[in-house]
Amino acid sequence: MPFDPVGDLQMYWEEHGTGDPVLFINGTGGDLRLIGQLHAHPLSRWFDVLFYDQRGLGQTSIPDGPYSMQQYGDDAARLIEHVGWERCHVVGVSFGGMVAQELALRHPHLVDRLVLCCTSSGGEGGSSFELLQLEYLPRDEALARRVAVFDSRNDTTSEPWTIAPGMELPVQLMRSAPAPSHEAAKGARLQLEARAFHDTWDRLPAFDHPTLVIGGRFDGQAAPANLERLADRLPNAVLHFCDGGHLFLLQDPSAWPTIVAFLRGALPRRDADGEVE
């Protein structure tokens, strides 16, 4: 489980599985220690998967800020090159989907198929819920607000809270999570500050690689309308909605099989006129 110098970072990464290479990019506050069992991850069963902690998060170093979305995209590109891959599929979740957009636009030669999960383009395509505003709320209030936007069926004004199917365990874990250390909180805040400036809208038409835009139809963080605009903006994208909210990958058992099928070339793509083949 290497800690390697990658650019200005001491980056933590793991590689699991066999098959076509896939880079997995985690979401806001992502820490591989919280995922666990990476060898049994749905992607690891089918592919050679590279997982990593992003700049300022998990076990990767936390350089002084500010950070930029372009930096996050370049970090991913440097890691791909560091492990010796010529190109790979890329799966980005939430904030990771924003990073994946920067990676694909800035380094298209490194990307094969692209999966953008529960994410937004920013700009005219719409932005995801601004999590930075929760940083200054009391812990319990911030948790209630975040759970409410994860799935529009959640109601944190009731007692007990009304929680959508499949979100019970994640909410329990969020409630019991210890407060982050000062250094970890710094890295998380720097990530959120970079995220606030995410905007790829004007550049998206330049990326014509096969892309799957996928999310939950009850997502209040990356609204379904944002995913629709994102898919329409990309020349060679297909859109798929699952039964769930922002955590649809945990809520809908069909989500990961759909992503695997796309990466293996089993889902349709658009022709030159924009029609689904």
Side-chain angles (χ1 to χ4, degrees), residues 1-3 10-16 22-41 43-44 49-60 79 91 93 191:
M1 311 306 176
F3 290 87
Q10 192 69 18
M11 184 178 285
Y12 180 80
W13 59 274
E14 298 186 22
E15 188 174 358
H16 295 274
V22 174
L23 177 70
F24 178 80
I25 311 179
N26 216 340
T28 300
D31 184 334
L32 296 186
R33 293 171 294 188
L34 301 179
I35 300 177
Q37 303 271 334
L38 290 174
H39 66 279
H41 190 279
L43 290 175
S44 301
V49 188
L50 188 59
F51 302 90
Y52 72 108
D53 285 335
Q54 297 189 73
R55 159 183 305 268
L57 302 174
Q59 298 178 80
T60 288
L79 179 60
V91 177
V93 178
Q191 181 195 37

Side-chain angles (χ1 to χ4, degrees), residues 94 98 118-120 122 126-131 195 221-223 226 246:
S94 191
M98 302 176 192
C118 52
T119 194
S120 304
S127 297
S128 294
F129 179 81
E130 184 50 80
L131 294 173
R195 178 185 182 274
Q221 183 164 319
N226 290 10
H246 200 63

Side-chain angles (χ1 to χ4, degrees), residues 21-22 45 59 98 173-174 201 216 235 266-267:
V22 174
R45 300 173 188 174
Q59 298 178 80
M98 302 176 192
L173 294 174
M174 291 168 66
W201 178 256
L267 286 185

